[in-house]
Amino acid sequence: MSKLEYYNEYGGFSEDGLEYVIKLEKGEKLPTVWSMILANETFGTLVTQNLGGYTWHKNSRLNRLSAWNNNPVLDLPSEIIYLKDYETGKKWSLCNNLNDESPESYITYGFGYVNFKSIQNNIMQELDIFVPQKDNVKINVLKLKNLEPNKRKLKLVYYVKTVLGEDEIKTNSYIEVNKESNIIIIKNLYKDSFKNNVCFVSSNEDIKSYTANKDFFFGKGDIKNPESLDKVELDKANGLGNNSCVAIELEIELESYENKEIILQFGEENTILDAKNTVYKYSKVANCNKELNNVKSFWFELINKVQVNTPLESLNLMINGWAKYQTIVSRLWARSGYYQSGGAIGFRDQLQDTIGLKYVDIDFMKKQILIACKHQFIEGDVEHWWHEDTNRGIRTRFSDDLLWLCYVVYEYINCTGDYSILDEKEPYVMGELLPDGVDERYDVYLESQLKEDVYSHCIRAIDRSLNFGEHGLPKIGSGDWNDGLNTVGNKQKGESIWLGFFIYDILGKFISICEKRNDISRANEYKEKMNIIKKSLNIAGWDGRWFRRAYMDNRRATSEALKMKNVG
């Protein structure tokens, strides 16, 4: 193994910074879970050093295909590859934490892929895991090499704790499983969202048997040693009415010192035809290897569009690759991590994420601006977060969310010089206004018939925010950028000094845009508002030494201070 940068006794970066390599000695465990997200825009999987994690399609919370477990102590996997040697009877798993003594292992995290290497029972194992650029499937390419001079016959079982929804408890026993040709077709018959989707498990090897009954699979054993590994074959039980899972059995024969590559597919498509096409596409090892190279090339080209060189090499490593990758894959596409699996799109969060990507690919920013416009109410306020595929979101009184649309629109124009985005038309959502005393409501919000250009969306947001309290400062609502201040204005009287600075900045930015569009009266109005806000900030916001943070409903200023100079 070549030298690793910033090695910490467990792992480090490759010299070119494109991989992170974890090296575990025999029986060694990491102090906590280190995870990696692999995803495209509609599908993804989270993988840990123990091959734990989970897989989803479209929404990492509402449509989990396998079970999500955020337990860093146990790191229980929901997708497991078991092996058994027929002659010796020895059984083991590729998941290190399921073996009595884990082997020496190398786990490599790269942009778009995970590689796992180990040797167990004289079988060399190498597993490549990746998600294609477009297709909704997790590809496992398992390479097995017999290190003995005699022929080996192995039983391979690929187990998945199926969910096909938000919570495995809610979906358990409602999952129908059937076999068509060499494809296991999996459907949740009792769900409202994503109900027409078709989940599947398949392999390039013949599926000898399968089961959808978790109780049969484990029997009197447990997750480390399922009883079914000792049975002749799995029972072909359906999942309906049973404790749900999917497990397929393969028979693998290896001649002396022979290599063999086994493909294990787990995914979900919108129709049965799409599912079959995807399975067929990745049924050949050559096709899988080609797509893996495509994924690697995609990320290499994307992250190398902008490179920085500072005296601090650790900063270079993060900025030149890993921060970009994680922002796109984890924040924008997956909206998930090991410790939190939200699935929702945040109005402010994802807009802010795109700011750091504007020099990598400005289309991320433009796309998010247009998405955000579609989740603004006609009244100018916005959904704090929402689930794109269900039309469900939360309407709140947060006072800063809506303004991030204006901020990022200005950033886009300032970066590109392209004012045409202001003419793009997008609809609003509509919903019942929040009554007095109610700070938020989670509901279905449908698209309205009114479409306006992005400029009008921004103006509605700004005008909605010009709502001032008795100190002449903007009202904080149910919180500003600091969500922890959500009780400061719960009677709708609290005021935010931070929000005053933010509005002041946005007004200054948008005055030039208004003038560019010959909206002179509005530009003049915003200039007047800026002067009023500046005066209020310097009088009511300043305590003689620091700027205050906010005024609560009882008119008392919060103790938190902003260490800033007076507004110029």
Side-chain angles (χ1 to χ4, degrees):
M1 183 175 64
S2 59
K3 177 187 175 185
L4 296 179
E5 303 292 334
Y6 297 96
Y7 184 70
N8 60 7
E9 298 183 7
Y10 299 105
F13 294 97
S14 60
E15 289 189 71
D16 60 9
L18 298 178
E19 293 181 331
Y20 191 86
V21 181
I22 300 168
K23 181 183 182 297
L24 295 178
E25 301 293 344
K26 187 175 182 179
E28 186 179 27
K29 296 183 182 296
L30 293 181
T32 189
V33 170
W34 290 358
S35 62
M36 182 71 174
I37 289 182
L38 313 173
N40 57 38
E41 291 186 66
T42 57
F43 186 91
T45 189
L46 184 148
V47 182
T48 73
Q49 79 274 8
N50 297 309
L51 299 184
Y54 79 114
T55 300
W56 67 88
H57 178 213
K58 294 184 179 178
N59 190 299
S60 58
R61 181 184 182 92
L62 300 183
N63 195 39
R64 295 168 180 151
L65 305 185
S66 57
W68 172 63
N69 297 293
N70 63 334
N71 186 327
V73 177
L74 299 177
D75 189 25
L76 293 174
S78 60
E79 304 166 33
I80 307 168
I81 299 173
Y82 296 98
L83 289 165
K84 177 184 176 180
D85 188 309
Y86 277 107
E87 183 177 349
T88 65
K90 290 183 178 180
K91 296 171 284 186
W92 69 97
S93 168
L94 265 68
C95 301
N96 277 338
N97 55 343
L98 299 187
N99 297 310
D100 292 332
E101 186 176 46
S102 57
E104 178 180 315
S105 304
Y106 291 87
I107 305 99
T108 301
Y109 293 161
F111 300 129
Y113 63 96
V114 170
N115 177 270
F116 179 92
K117 294 177 182 176
S118 67
I119 297 176
Q120 289 174 280
N121 296 300
N122 283 327
I123 298 290
M124 183 180 290
Q125 305 164 152
E126 182 173 359
L127 180 66
D128 283 316
I129 306 172
F130 71 96
V131 170
Q133 286 182 267
K134 300 293 182 183
D135 299 304
N136 301 312
V137 62
K138 175 180 181 177
I139 302 295
N140 302 275
V141 180
L142 176 61
K143 304 169 187 175
L144 300 177
K145 181 176 182 179
N146 180 9
L147 299 180
E148 294 184 355
N150 52 290
K151 184 177 180 179
R152 308 281 293 277
K153 185 177 180 182
L154 305 176
K155 171 187 276 194
L156 186 154
V157 174
Y158 181 41
Y159 164 87
V160 177
K161 173 49 193 167
T162 46
V163 177
L164 277 67
E166 181 177 0
D167 190 297
E168 61 186 286
I169 297 175
K170 294 178 182 178
T171 66
N172 199 34
S173 79
Y174 296 136
I175 296 176
E176 179 185 62
V177 176
N178 293 293
K179 184 172 181 284
E180 295 187 20
S181 299
N182 205 45
I183 308 173
I184 304 298
I185 302 296
I186 316 158
K187 293 183 180 180
N188 181 351
L189 300 185
Y190 295 95
K191 65 178 180 178
D192 296 327
S193 304
F194 316 101
K195 61 183 178 181
N196 295 321
N197 293 350
V198 178
C199 186
F200 58 89
V201 170
S202 189
S203 174
N204 63 332
E205 298 285 330
D206 290 338
I207 297 175
K208 178 184 176 182
S209 66
Y210 71 94
T211 187
N213 186 336
K214 183 180 175 183
D215 294 330
F216 166 84
F217 182 75
F218 288 118
K220 295 180 181 179
D222 56 23
I223 194 170
K224 290 185 177 181
N225 186 20
E227 188 179 46
S228 61
L229 289 185
D230 293 322
K231 296 182 178 180
V232 175
E233 63 179 30
L234 304 178
D235 71 346
K236 298 182 177 63
N238 203 307
L240 289 175
N242 293 316
N243 198 353
S244 303
C245 80
V246 166
I248 62 171
E249 177 190 359
L250 312 176
E251 278 192 356
I252 309 297
E253 291 187 352
L254 295 171
E255 298 293 339
S256 59
Y257 305 112
E258 182 187 6
N259 284 293
K260 183 166 283 189
E261 294 179 287
I262 299 101
I263 300 167
L264 299 170
Q265 301 183 34
F266 178 43
E268 184 178 74
E269 294 286 7
N270 297 326
T271 67
I272 185 68
L273 180 60
D274 290 339
K276 289 180 177 179
N277 287 338
T278 297
V279 168
Y280 178 77
K281 181 176 180 180
Y282 297 103
S283 62
K284 293 182 173 61
V285 173
N287 292 350
C288 293
N289 291 337
K290 180 180 178 181
E291 182 60 25
L292 176 56
N293 288 331
N294 290 340
V295 170
K296 291 179 179 180
S297 296
F298 167 79
W299 284 111
F300 183 82
E301 292 172 7
L302 186 62
I303 66 175
N304 277 284
K305 285 185 176 180
V306 177
Q307 294 283 290
V308 301
N309 186 16
T310 75
L312 191 59
E313 183 58 28
S314 59
L315 181 63
N316 298 341
L317 281 170
M318 295 308 296
I319 292 180
N320 287 336
W322 295 94
K324 299 173 194 173
Y325 179 84
Q326 294 288 11
T327 300
I328 296 168
V329 171
S330 180
R331 297 286 303 167
L332 293 179
W333 290 352
R335 300 182 297 281
S336 181
Y338 186 84
Y339 298 96
Q340 183 182 36
S341 169
I345 299 174
F347 193 93
R348 81 156 80 100
D349 292 354
Q350 270 66 51
L351 280 170
Q352 290 174 356
D353 291 335
T354 65
I355 296 175
L357 298 171
K358 63 185 179 182
Y359 297 118
V360 177
D361 188 343
I362 196 67
D363 284 345
F364 283 112
M365 183 178 280
K366 182 175 182 179
K367 181 178 180 180
Q368 200 62 41
I369 287 170
L370 300 180
I371 289 173
C373 286
K374 294 176 183 177
H375 292 272
Q376 181 183 29
F377 293 98
I378 296 173
E379 293 80 9
D381 59 323
V382 301
E383 293 179 82
H384 188 56
W385 54 259
W386 65 90
H387 290 291
E388 192 72 27
D389 297 287
T390 66
N391 294 317
R392 290 187 175 274
I394 185 169
R395 189 173 197 173
T396 72
R397 297 186 188 276
F398 275 101
S399 55
D400 72 302
D401 285 346
L402 62 170
L403 289 169
W404 286 102
L405 172 64
C406 313
Y407 187 92
V408 176
V409 166
Y410 177 85
E411 285 288 314
Y412 177 85
I413 293 173
N414 191 48
C415 180
T416 63
D418 178 16
Y419 283 83
S420 67
I421 191 172
L422 297 170
D423 298 316
E424 297 266 2
K425 290 192 174 182
E426 295 293 347
Y428 296 89
V429 288
M430 54 186 180
E432 181 183 349
L433 290 171
L434 295 175
D436 291 342
V438 176
D439 285 337
E440 61 183 45
R441 175 183 286 123
Y442 180 64
D443 207 344
V444 174
Y445 297 109
L446 300 177
E447 185 178 299
S448 73
Q449 293 183 341
L450 177 62
K451 280 188 175 184
E452 288 187 333
D453 56 32
V454 170
Y455 178 74
S456 299
H457 279 267
C458 292
I459 296 304
R460 283 182 186 263
I462 293 172
D463 291 349
R464 170 87 176 192
S465 299
L466 300 177
N467 180 22
F468 303 100
E470 59 181 293
H471 295 93
L473 298 167
K475 290 187 177 180
I476 196 170
S478 57
D480 53 24
W481 197 18
N482 184 345
D483 294 1
L485 299 179
N486 59 347
T487 61
V488 169
N490 57 358
K491 294 182 181 178
Q492 301 176 39
K493 295 180 181 179
E495 299 166 83
S496 169
I497 283 87
W498 177 90
L499 186 63
F501 282 100
F502 193 40
I503 292 177
Y504 183 88
D505 181 64
I506 286 174
L507 289 175
K509 287 176 165 64
F510 255 76
I511 285 171
S512 62
I513 292 176
C514 293
E515 291 173 342
K516 180 81 174 179
R517 294 179 67 88
N518 203 32
D519 195 351
I520 304 303
S521 62
R522 177 165 277 109
N524 292 334
E525 177 190 352
Y526 287 171
K527 289 176 184 177
E528 293 176 8
K529 294 293 184 184
M530 285 184 69
N531 288 328
I532 294 172
I533 293 171
K534 179 169 70 173
K535 183 177 180 181
S536 298
L537 286 170
N538 285 325
I539 295 175
W542 181 254
D543 72 353
R545 186 180 180 189
W546 306 110
F547 278 105
R548 301 181 174 98
R549 183 58 175 83
Y551 281 92
M552 296 181 285
D553 284 332
N554 60 8
R555 301 184 64 189
R556 291 182 61 187
T558 60
S559 58
E560 184 182 356
L562 288 177
K563 297 181 179 180
M564 303 179 184
K565 296 181 179 180
N566 288 54
V567 181

